[in-house]
Amino acid sequence: MYRDFGTILFLVFMGIVLIYAPLVIQKLLAPNDPNADKLATYECGEESEGSAWVQFNIRFYVVALIFLIFDVEVVFLFPWAVVFNELGLLAFVEMGIFLLILMLGLAYVWRRSDLDWVKYNVKYGRGRYSNLYKKSQTIKGS
Amino acid sequence: MSNLESLKFFWPELILSATALIAILSDLIYERKDSHKVSFWAIGGLLLTFITIRLFGGSSINGLFMGTMALDPFSEFFKILIVLSTIIVMLMSFNSSELDGYRKGEYYTIMSIMAFGLVMMTSAIDVLMFYVAIEIVSIMSFFLAGYLKRNPNSNEASLKYVIYGAFSSGVMLYGLSILFGLTGETNFFAIKNAISQLGPDSNLALILSIVFILVGLGYKISAVPFHFWTPDVYEGSPTSITAYLSVAPKAAGFALIIRFFNIAFGSNSAMGSDEWSSLNSLPWPFLIALLSAATMTIGNLVAIQQQSVKRMLAYSSIAHAGYMMMAIPVMSQSGIYGLMIYLFMYMLMNLGAFFVVMYVQDKFDGENFDAFNGLGWKMPLLGISMTLFMVALTGLPPTSGFVGKFYIFAAVIEAGNQYYWLAFVGVINSVVSLYYYIKVVRHMYFEGERSDIVSLPESKLTTSLVLVLALPTFFLGWYFSPLVEWANNSLNFFLGI
């Protein structure tokens, strides 16, 4: 039994060799002559600007999470719909409960105004949205 | 038993999940300033759950949901423990000023979902269900640890918790997959049958999988090599959540460890008689004994150096996990019911201690030992209760902590001379722990100026909650036979498919 693992060890070894061999070969053969254009990041022909390590607005992640609600829903709905005739009423009720709970999630983000991109009621906004809260307060007051 | 038939034995869990849904629905309707009212729905639902657990109690039904869950007195005991501690922590959160300025509706919703996961953990008898339950609990506790989102410490706590949690549950999954590879089964009983047919050749792989699974379970109960998250998470989380994390997930984790190891890796006579041994003479009891000794020693030694009471209590909860783990390797009924009694006492005294810390943090703006200076004179009720909790956590006689420790040590001694060393380590550690627990008492009574103006906490709820936790802590030290009887009756696992 233990001898069978020899094959696996050989595969692991070959895996390592197959990765490093081309790298070593090209290091030996290829000419090394860098210049500024060659080292620049390729961005569909556009000149790249700034670093890729910028901070993204956290609301992109919120939108991704909202997307997941519908994504998961569809993933579960497809197999259910395919065998719907054989499963009958019980499966229909079960799916109804499932959808109800998922829709509760949608109602939740809606009520929390996470579906609005520009938020007027955020107290701690920064940058160009920072005065919106004050503005909305003055509009309400007037 | 098919899924639909199982539902009628599943009322407590169904009510708990309905509670979570109703809580979040009501939070959608309430305005921001009324959001704390969600707690009424949540506590009402939990009380209803408590009643249904009692109503459906006493029966032993196996193989619910196609053999993935069990309903038995053992899980019932832990369910009651978990629901009780959830209710107490929700009541504690009412007066927590840390949570002011945050929407509290989600807080109570997440706590009820977490209670649901914990309740599932206590009755899982299938590896898949066990993993799903652990993940429900983990993900909800990540949320709760980071609930104070404008407080960097809380964010740090949440992030550390996520990283450690993800890593250890990954390792645990690897262990479970090795186990599945060896046996081809996911049900605990089927795993046992398959293991007893394996030859000694596979013992090495089995030990490997046991160690990996212990990583995940040890993380849940914060046993020593996997405890590094505990102090930081406990310090950064809202204090009410710290109290919750130190009690409820630990109780459920121990329930799972007892069930999993005794069913899957114990000999056939498990729970049937008072003597049983590990399957194929795998050395897992010794492994857990070793972890237990390391857990209590390191927990106690590091607790001595702490400046913050919250951090000290975090390390002390690690030490207590060590004491409780002593009861698992002895593999006797008295060990397991000693652990159950200890957990009940531990719930009362630990929640109480954290509640006083929370109050002091709110009122005197600090969680260091210095914040406690003169508290015993200013607020005699809190001073006396805190002294009681500290004495109980040490395990000194007139309190319930002594009873819990007594049963565990008795079980360890009963198991014969192979575990005398473990009892010895435990006793030495109890003595060491006296130092840092009494330090709190010293600060309350002998440091700072003595004031003659005596006051009670302003809120009636605080006063009554302190009393609710302190009185049983005291009186269960004198009259504990009902609890012992209850634990003894709850010992029945269900034994076969």
Side-chain angles (χ1 to χ4, degrees):
Chain A
M1 178 190 161
Y2 287 112
R3 206 167 293 165
D4 294 343
F5 283 109
T7 324
I8 294 173
L9 187 69
F10 180 72
L11 274 177
V12 169
F13 180 71
M14 279 313 287
I16 294 169
V17 167
L18 281 178
I19 288 171
Y20 284 100
L23 288 174
V24 171
I25 293 168
Q26 70 93 17
K27 193 84 185 167
L28 292 176
L29 295 182
N32 184 15
D33 180 21
N35 63 40
D37 285 340
K38 271 191 195 169
L39 290 176
T41 314
Y42 180 72
E43 190 79 61
C44 308
E46 294 283 330
E47 268 183 50
S48 54
E49 233 180 86
S51 152
W53 292 87
V54 292
Q55 290 186 320
F56 287 95
N57 193 330
I58 194 149
R59 273 187 276 160
F60 286 112
Y61 299 98
V62 177
V63 172
L65 284 176
I66 299 170
F67 163 73
L68 270 184
I69 296 177
F70 299 104
D71 204 33
V72 170
E73 181 185 338
V74 170
V75 166
F76 281 104
L77 274 176
F78 264 120
W80 169 76
V82 169
V83 288
F84 179 71
N85 276 340
E86 294 147 44
L87 293 177
L89 187 67
L90 180 68
F92 183 72
V93 174
E94 276 178 355
M95 194 45 91
I97 294 171
F98 174 66
L99 288 184
L100 202 75
I101 294 174
L102 271 183
M103 285 306 112
L104 189 61
L106 180 62
Y108 179 79
V109 288
W110 194 353
R111 166 80 178 158
R112 289 279 167 283
S113 66
D114 280 326
L115 294 178
D116 307 332
W117 190 253
V118 178
K119 287 194 176 184
Y120 288 96
N121 54 355
V122 176
K123 264 190 203 169
Y124 306 95
R126 284 213 200 129
R128 67 186 130 153
Y129 295 129
S130 58
N131 346 333
L132 283 178
Y133 179 70
K134 278 178 215 152
K135 265 187 207 163
S136 68
Q137 292 307 94
T138 47
I139 292 165
K140 260 187 208 166
S142 61
Chain B
M1 199 180 283
S2 80
N3 287 345
L4 208 58
E5 286 170 341
S6 310
L7 275 182
K8 62 175 175 282
F9 301 107
F10 207 54
W11 277 109
E13 286 85 349
L14 284 180
I15 291 176
L16 254 182
S17 37
T19 305
L21 287 179
I22 289 173
I24 202 159
L25 245 172
S26 62
D27 188 37
L28 291 181
I29 295 160
Y30 287 132
E31 287 295 320
R32 189 184 174 86
K33 62 175 170 21
D34 293 331
S35 184
H36 64 95
K37 286 183 188 161
V38 173
S39 59
F40 302 140
W41 293 100
I43 288 175
L46 282 163
L47 285 175
L48 207 61
T49 314
F50 184 81
I51 294 167
T52 35
I53 292 172
R54 292 303 292 167
L55 279 182
F56 286 85
S59 51
S60 238
I61 292 147
N62 35 15
L64 293 183
F65 295 101
M66 307 187 173
T68 56
M69 309 269 271
L71 177 70
D72 48 23
F74 177 75
S75 67
E76 190 196 324
F77 180 92
F78 282 94
K79 279 176 195 169
I80 286 176
L81 201 78
I82 286 158
V83 170
L84 265 185
S85 61
T86 313
I87 293 175
I88 294 173
V89 172
M90 280 184 179
L91 290 173
M92 272 169 73
S93 321
F94 274 173
N95 288 341
S96 162
S97 62
E98 271 176 311
L99 293 169
D100 288 347
Y102 296 95
R103 256 199 108 93
K104 290 185 189 162
E106 290 152 19
Y107 176 87
Y108 295 111
T109 312
I110 293 173
M111 271 186 73
S112 20
I113 301 175
M114 188 164 163
F116 174 77
L118 291 168
V119 163
M120 297 244 295
M121 257 169 95
T122 61
S123 50
I125 51 162
D126 189 283
V127 168
L128 288 173
M129 192 56 83
F130 144 23
Y131 183 69
V132 168
I134 281 193
E135 283 307 292
I136 293 177
V137 173
S138 297
I139 290 169
M140 292 305 137
S141 33
F142 303 153
F143 277 125
L144 288 173
Y147 203 77
L148 310 175
K149 60 184 170 192
R150 293 191 288 280
N151 176 348
N153 282 339
S154 183
N155 290 335
E156 184 192 329
S158 184
L159 190 63
K160 280 188 176 163
Y161 208 6
V162 171
I163 291 170
Y164 278 103
F167 186 75
S168 60
S169 73
V171 174
M172 183 179 73
L173 265 187
Y174 188 42
L176 291 175
S177 69
I178 293 175
L179 192 63
F180 180 73
L182 286 169
T183 60
E185 300 285 353
T186 57
N187 186 286
F188 291 178
F189 297 96
I191 286 176
K192 176 172 77 180
N193 290 337
I195 287 177
S196 50
Q197 270 149 39
L198 288 174
D201 285 355
S202 50
N203 269 8
L204 189 67
L206 271 177
I207 291 168
L208 198 68
S209 84
I210 289 173
V211 170
F212 283 164
I213 292 168
L214 265 179
V215 173
L217 294 173
Y219 157 83
K220 266 268 147 289
I221 59 168
S222 61
V224 141
F226 328 109
H227 70 290
F228 288 98
W229 58 275
T230 318
D232 289 332
V233 171
Y234 281 20
E235 198 185 13
S237 318
T239 312
S240 44
I241 290 309
T242 309
Y244 193 50
L245 290 182
S246 71
V247 173
K250 263 186 199 180
F254 273 110
L256 197 51
I257 288 182
I258 291 171
R259 205 187 272 278
F260 181 62
F261 280 96
N262 283 324
I263 294 180
F265 297 116
S267 68
N268 286 323
S269 58
M271 297 324 279
S273 69
D274 206 33
E275 280 182 12
W276 69 87
S277 55
S278 71
L279 205 58
N280 290 10
S281 56
L282 290 166
W284 63 264
F286 181 69
L287 206 66
I288 293 184
L290 218 57
L291 284 188
S292 150
T295 304
M296 53 194 163
T297 311
I298 291 182
N300 274 319
L301 290 184
V302 185
I304 292 176
Q305 309 159 4
Q306 300 307 317
Q307 297 305 313
S308 140
V309 178
K310 218 169 150 185
R311 248 182 122 80
M312 181 276 275
L313 283 175
Y315 280 106
S316 107
S317 87
I318 296 175
H320 279 275
Y323 299 135
M324 289 185 255
M325 277 168 83
M326 287 199 315
I328 298 172
V330 303
M331 304 236 287
S332 63
Q333 296 207 349
S334 53
I336 290 173
Y337 92 97
L339 197 156
M340 287 155 92
I341 295 166
Y342 194 96
L343 262 172
F344 194 85
M345 311 295 198
Y346 173 75
M347 172 187 86
L348 292 171
M349 56 204 187
N350 213 38
L351 287 181
F354 272 111
F355 188 53
V356 176
V357 171
M358 189 180 99
Y359 186 80
V360 170
Q361 204 179 6
D362 287 353
K363 285 286 157 326
F364 307 108
D365 202 34
E367 54 194 58
N368 286 352
F369 280 98
D370 294 334
F372 283 78
N373 285 354
L375 182 78
W377 302 109
K378 275 181 278 184
M379 297 188 154
L381 175 73
L382 285 188
I384 290 168
S385 322
M386 190 64 175
T387 310
L388 181 67
F389 295 137
M390 289 298 123
V391 171
L393 282 168
T394 321
L396 290 180
T399 58
S400 61
F402 171 72
V403 179
K405 273 217 174 102
F406 175 79
Y407 273 97
I408 286 199
F409 281 104
V412 175
I413 296 291
E414 245 174 49
N417 48 17
Q418 52 172 337
Y419 286 119
Y420 280 175
W421 65 273
L422 190 59
F424 186 69
V425 173
V427 170
I428 296 274
N429 268 299
S430 302
V431 177
V432 171
S433 72
L434 185 64
Y435 169 74
Y436 58 82
Y437 287 130
I438 294 302
K439 198 168 154 194
V440 178
V441 181
R442 198 190 79 206
H443 275 268
M444 284 193 303
Y445 285 98
F446 300 112
E447 307 249 328
E449 67 267 37
R450 174 177 175 165
S451 81
D452 293 322
I453 310 151
V454 168
S455 63
L456 277 175
E458 301 87 72
S459 136
K460 289 238 164 49
L461 182 70
T462 310
T463 317
S464 45
L465 205 53
V466 167
L467 284 177
V468 162
L469 291 166
L471 290 180
T473 306
F474 184 67
F475 285 111
L476 280 175
W478 295 96
Y479 183 63
F480 46 88
S481 49
L483 182 70
V484 172
E485 230 159 75
W486 178 35
N488 208 3
N489 290 337
S490 305
L491 261 180
N492 291 323
F493 286 179
F494 97 93
L495 289 174
I497 293 289

